[in-house]
């Protein structure tokens, strides 16, 4: 689906006006997770690789940015850049290992590698162990703009999200993206056409990991916190759910899925119903797989196609 | 204190024992995964939740119905296996033959629901389950004290694993199962009810996890997240061993438990990560896994 200019203008405008109506911190949370899910979707939706350890990259971005912001007084844009790069480096190493296996083995390898990193961060001296890194300063963007103001920060986060979203869109619609889709649809065929499939998968993995790190770095800036929750397998499962629910393989699906999942969590958490989050997530998983495999955006696209063309 | 070449033998053997016990559970769980994978070609992400379910079922049987450990050891695996049969018939059957990622996601959903349910009812902290009276004692060996229950875990799981191996490799029923693994359509053509074998296989694999759960109840506290923590390690073990052979799954499980135990003694900081590190090395040297067949 190519996007028309009016559609893009409409979506961008909506995002610019949103903080006038909705609490900016909530919006920023949605945007961070949406970026995370978009990054993940590049792998699952467009390359057909199910990573069950993507929290490792989000968490790495968060920890590196948090550590640098607290200890070196780096400006936020540099902090985020370093976090993103670090996640990309971890992604490069993990990707090299993971693309050696396929299908469900790929999922198990990524999950196990992410758990390895979880234990490393649990014991490492610079992560604050169980407490995490608290009170991360938001700092001054380019040394000028004070980001403690939620509205200013919102527009920064929004710009970051648009950049990530654009990058995924460009990747998917490039010749490179076409080959990724070819791998998803028929890997032996792609190999027989002479493509080095492992190399393509690896590059997609690194891009995805770096963008997940970007989401994590941004999230740390918003909540001024990097903790073990960000590298826990729970989060790796959540991003799968967001993508599946929104519609894997669609450009806008992860954004919608992240919006729905974050909203559900915000309503339920804190109260007595906190534990129901896990049950509801599980039930949505089961329903999506059995009945609703195209996700929200996928189903909408199907309806529009059937009725209007 | 007995030492040999500067090594504290009490400590070493103690950790080896703990490693063997963990290895027993790894072996039981990865054996169940391997059996299910062989015939259904799916990875059961709910295997850890079934292990947790087994432990909770034993606890509930004792506290609500007064059913003791020995009866639970028989009844709970049957009950958990029956739950597995229901899951296979109701949820997995409709998506059989589709991309295996969907069954992975589905079983992950089941695991989330079960874990959430038990957290909601019993809270995140563990419930105690006492060791059965007959196994409360222990034996003093030259270099260590061996509690009876721990010895029982190792013996029982080795026996169960051995019986399972024998059943699959040496009996007629096992021959059907292996034939189904190779070519289900051909087996069906010979008049064997393959869908029934698939259901029973899933039930049996899950029942093994339930059995491990009952065995684990007295040594670990019975808590909702006991399964998920265990499962991720077992996944790494499955990647290390490859799922090509039943014997391979058992040996890798026990072996990794021993390696973990040794690490706990020599370099405790790495004990939580050593199995994952081994997985990385295996991926680099022999990507198909130690006993794996596929490329």
């Amino acid at each position: 689906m190519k996007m028309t200019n009016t559609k893009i203008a409409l979506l961008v405008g909506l995002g610019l006006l949103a903080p006038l109506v909705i609490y900016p911190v909530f919006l920023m949370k949605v945007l961070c997770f949406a970026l995370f899910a978009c990054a993940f979707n590049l792998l699952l939706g467009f390359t057909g690789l199910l990573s069950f350890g993507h929290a490792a990259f989000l968490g790495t971005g968060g920890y590196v940015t948090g550590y640098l912001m607290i200890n070196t007084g780096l400006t936020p844009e540099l902090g985020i850049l370093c976090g993103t790069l670090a996640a990309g480096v971890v992604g490069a190493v993990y990707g090299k290992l993971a693309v050696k296996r396929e299908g469900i083995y790929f999922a198990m390898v990524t999950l196990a590698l992410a758990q390895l990193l979880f234990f490393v961060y649990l014991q490492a001296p610079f992560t604050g162990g169980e407490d995490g890194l608290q009170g991360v300063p938001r700092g001054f963007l380019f040394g000028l703009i004070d980001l403690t103001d939620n509205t200013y920060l919102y527009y920064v986060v929004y710009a970051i999200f648009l950049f990530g979203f654009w990058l995924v869109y460009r990747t998917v619609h490039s010749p490179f993206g076409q080959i990724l889709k070819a791998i998803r649809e028929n890997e032996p065929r792609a190999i027989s056409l002479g493509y080095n499939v492992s190399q393509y998968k690896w590059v997609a993995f690194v891009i995805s990991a770096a963008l997940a790190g970007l989401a994590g770095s941004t999230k740390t800036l918003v909540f001024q916190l990097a903790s073990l929750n960000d590298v826990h397998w729970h989060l790796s499962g959540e991003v799968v759910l967001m993508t599946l629910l929104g519609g894997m393989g669609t450009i806008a699906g992860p954004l919608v899925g992240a919006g729905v999942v974050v909203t559900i969590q915000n309503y339920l958490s804190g109260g007595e119903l906190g534990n129901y989050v896990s049950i509801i997530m599980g039930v949505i998983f089961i329903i999506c797989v059995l009945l609703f495999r195209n996700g929200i955006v996928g189903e909408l696209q199907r309806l529009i196609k059937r009725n209007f063309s | 204190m007995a030492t040999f070449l500067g090594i504290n033998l009490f400590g070493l053997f103690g950790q080896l024992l703990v490693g063997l016990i963990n290895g027993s559970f790894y072996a039981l769980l990865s054996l169940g995964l391997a059996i299910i994978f062989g015939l259904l070609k799916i990875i059961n992400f709910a295997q850890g939740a079934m292990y947790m379910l087994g432990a909770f079922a034993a606890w509930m049987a004792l506290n609500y119905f007064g059913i003791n450990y020995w009866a639970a050891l028989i009844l709970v695996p049957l009950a958990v296996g029956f739950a597995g049969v229901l899951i296979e018939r109701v949820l997995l059957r409709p998506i059989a033959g589709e991309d295996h990622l969907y069954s992975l996601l589905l079983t992950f959903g089941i695991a989330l629901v079960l874990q959430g349910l038990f957290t909601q009812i019993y809270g995140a902290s563990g419930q105690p389950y006492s060791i059965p009276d007959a196994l409360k004692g222990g034996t003093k060996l030259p270099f260590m004290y061996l509690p009876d229950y721990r010895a029982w875990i190792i013996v029982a799981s080795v026996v169960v694993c051995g019986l399972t191996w024998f059943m699959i490799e040496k009996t007629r029923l096992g021959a059907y199962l292996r034939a189904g693994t190779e070519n289900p359509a051909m087996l069906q053509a010979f008049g064997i009810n393959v869908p029934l074998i698939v259901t029973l296989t899933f039930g049996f694999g899950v029942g093994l996890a339930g059995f491990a759960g009952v065995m684990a109840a007295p040594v670990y506290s019975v808590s909702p997240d006991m399964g998920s923590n265990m499962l991720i390690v077992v996944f790494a073990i499955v990647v290390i061993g490859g799922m090509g052979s039943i014997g391979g799954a058992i040996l890798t499980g026990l072996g990794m438990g021993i390696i973990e135990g040794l690490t706990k003694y020599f370099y405790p900081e790495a004990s939580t990560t050593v199995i994952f590190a081994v997985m990385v090395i295996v991926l680099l040297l022999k990507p198909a896994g130690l006993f794996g067949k596929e490329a």
Side-chain angles (χ1 to χ4, degrees):
Chain A
M1 185 186 66
K2 284 266 176 197
M3 286 185 142
T4 58
N5 285 337
T6 33
K7 255 192 205 163
I8 295 170
L10 203 72
L11 281 175
V12 172
L14 217 63
L16 288 176
L17 296 177
L20 300 177
V21 194
I22 308 172
Y23 183 50
V25 174
F26 172 77
L27 282 176
M28 288 190 276
K29 188 175 178 188
V30 170
L31 286 177
C32 288
F33 279 108
L35 178 58
F36 185 31
C38 282
F40 177 78
N41 191 33
L42 182 65
L43 271 191
L44 177 63
F46 293 104
T47 322
L49 295 174
L50 173 59
S51 158
F52 236 102
H54 248 50
F57 311 122
L58 181 112
T60 299
Y63 272 128
V64 170
T65 302
Y67 181 82
L68 291 176
M69 296 290 292
I70 290 175
N71 292 296
T72 66
L74 230 54
T75 48
E77 71 282 357
L78 289 176
I80 288 177
L81 188 69
C82 291
T84 308
L85 285 177
V89 170
V90 175
V93 176
Y94 276 18
K96 267 284 178 240
L97 291 167
V99 298
K100 285 175 180 281
R101 302 304 303 265
E102 287 168 12
I104 41 188
Y105 278 103
F106 184 89
M108 288 194 288
V109 169
T110 44
L111 176 62
L113 288 173
Q115 191 74 352
L116 172 71
L117 207 59
F118 175 86
F119 283 119
V120 169
Y121 286 149
L122 178 64
Q123 294 173 353
F126 63 90
T127 57
E130 305 266 358
D131 300 326
L133 298 173
Q134 297 176 0
V136 177
R138 285 178 176 174
F140 291 80
L141 188 72
F142 304 119
L144 296 171
I145 305 163
D146 185 4
L147 293 184
T148 45
D149 185 318
N150 276 337
T151 314
Y152 287 154
L153 186 62
Y154 170 80
Y155 288 107
V156 174
V157 173
Y158 187 51
I160 292 173
F161 166 77
L162 284 180
F163 165 74
F165 193 81
W166 170 82
L167 193 72
V168 171
Y169 180 85
R170 278 305 308 149
T171 308
V172 168
H173 290 91
S174 68
F176 173 74
Q178 295 300 323
I179 296 163
L180 293 186
K181 277 183 251 178
I183 294 171
R184 177 190 69 186
E185 294 302 325
N186 193 339
E187 188 171 332
R189 183 101 189 261
I191 294 171
S192 77
L193 287 172
Y195 291 111
N196 185 348
V197 168
S198 299
Q199 196 70 21
Y200 279 93
K201 284 182 184 173
W202 179 69
V203 174
F205 197 93
V206 176
I207 297 174
S208 177
L211 281 177
L214 178 62
S217 299
T218 313
K219 183 172 160 295
T220 290
L221 213 58
V222 173
F223 293 100
Q224 304 183 282
L225 172 76
S227 73
L228 285 173
N229 286 337
D230 299 337
V231 276
H232 198 267
W233 61 265
H234 254 282
L235 193 66
S236 298
E238 267 169 32
V239 75
V240 182
L241 183 66
M242 289 170 186
T243 309
L244 186 67
L245 179 63
M248 47 182 185
T250 63
I251 287 287
L255 174 60
V256 175
V260 173
V261 171
V262 171
T263 309
I264 293 176
Q265 283 172 341
N266 260 36
Y267 267 102
L268 292 181
S269 69
E272 277 181 16
L273 296 174
N275 292 322
Y276 281 111
V277 172
S278 170
I279 302 176
I280 291 171
M281 298 292 139
V283 170
I284 298 178
F285 254 111
I286 296 171
I287 292 174
C288 277
V289 170
L290 288 179
L291 308 169
F292 196 58
R293 212 166 280 175
N294 296 321
I296 296 169
V297 173
E299 288 294 331
L300 282 177
Q301 281 176 358
R302 217 165 52 106
L303 276 179
I304 291 170
K305 237 186 208 156
R306 205 169 54 198
N307 295 328
F308 298 102
S309 61
Chain B
M1 190 159 282
T3 53
F4 176 73
L5 297 177
I7 294 169
N8 170 4
L9 289 178
F10 277 103
L12 180 62
F13 279 93
Q15 291 300 352
L16 263 183
L17 180 66
V18 173
L20 262 179
I21 288 166
N22 284 336
S24 302
F25 292 120
Y26 296 155
L28 280 170
L29 286 172
S30 58
L31 176 63
L33 281 178
I35 292 173
I36 293 172
F37 180 81
L39 202 53
L40 284 80
K41 297 284 176 284
I42 67 171
I43 281 292
N44 180 22
F45 221 120
Q47 194 78 350
M50 291 300 169
Y51 163 81
M52 181 268 292
L53 194 64
F56 261 104
W59 182 86
M60 287 191 283
L62 182 70
N63 287 283
Y64 299 156
F65 306 108
I67 297 171
N68 72 16
Y69 173 83
W70 302 103
L73 207 53
I74 308 285
L75 293 176
V76 168
L78 288 175
V80 173
F82 183 69
V85 165
L86 286 181
I87 289 172
E88 201 279 331
R89 275 284 147 123
V90 178
L91 297 173
L92 288 171
R93 181 60 55 85
I95 60 166
E98 294 180 40
D99 194 330
H100 300 127
L101 295 181
Y102 288 117
S103 54
L104 184 82
L105 295 176
L106 185 80
T107 49
F108 179 68
I110 295 170
L112 280 184
V113 170
L114 283 174
Q115 189 173 338
L117 217 56
F118 279 92
T119 312
Q120 179 67 22
I121 302 171
Y122 295 102
S125 60
Q127 310 283 342
Y129 187 100
S130 63
I131 294 172
D133 289 335
L135 295 175
K136 270 191 176 139
T139 318
K140 197 158 172 8
L141 299 177
F143 291 118
M144 63 186 295
Y145 176 76
L146 178 66
D148 285 347
Y149 189 76
R150 307 209 159 212
W152 158 248
I153 290 180
I154 297 168
V155 172
S157 69
V158 167
V159 167
V160 167
C161 286
L163 282 178
T164 308
W165 177 84
F166 181 82
M167 199 177 77
I168 292 172
E169 299 290 338
K170 303 291 175 196
T171 66
R172 191 164 188 83
L173 189 66
Y176 290 153
L177 196 129
R178 280 178 287 133
T181 306
E182 292 291 328
N183 191 337
M186 183 72 93
L187 188 64
Q188 182 96 41
F190 280 127
I192 308 291
N193 187 346
V194 173
L196 181 69
I197 290 193
V198 165
T199 305
L200 291 180
T201 303
F202 191 82
F204 183 76
V206 161
L208 277 178
F211 177 76
V214 183
M215 301 264 287
V219 274
Y220 308 126
S221 70
V222 180
S223 71
D225 63 357
M226 66 190 284
S228 52
N229 293 338
M230 181 71 106
L231 187 70
I232 300 178
V233 177
V234 170
F235 274 180
I237 289 171
V238 164
V239 174
I240 292 169
M243 278 188 294
S245 82
I246 299 296
I250 300 169
L251 286 180
T252 316
L254 283 171
M256 286 304 123
I258 292 172
I259 288 182
E260 198 182 40
L262 286 176
T263 314
K264 244 179 221 155
Y265 179 77
F266 287 107
Y267 189 60
E269 289 82 1
S271 63
T272 48
T273 47
V274 65
I275 291 180
F276 302 112
V278 172
M279 183 190 81
V280 169
I281 295 167
V282 169
L283 276 173
L284 288 172
L285 299 178
K286 197 167 183 300
L290 299 177
F291 299 91
K293 286 173 194 155
E294 85 283 22

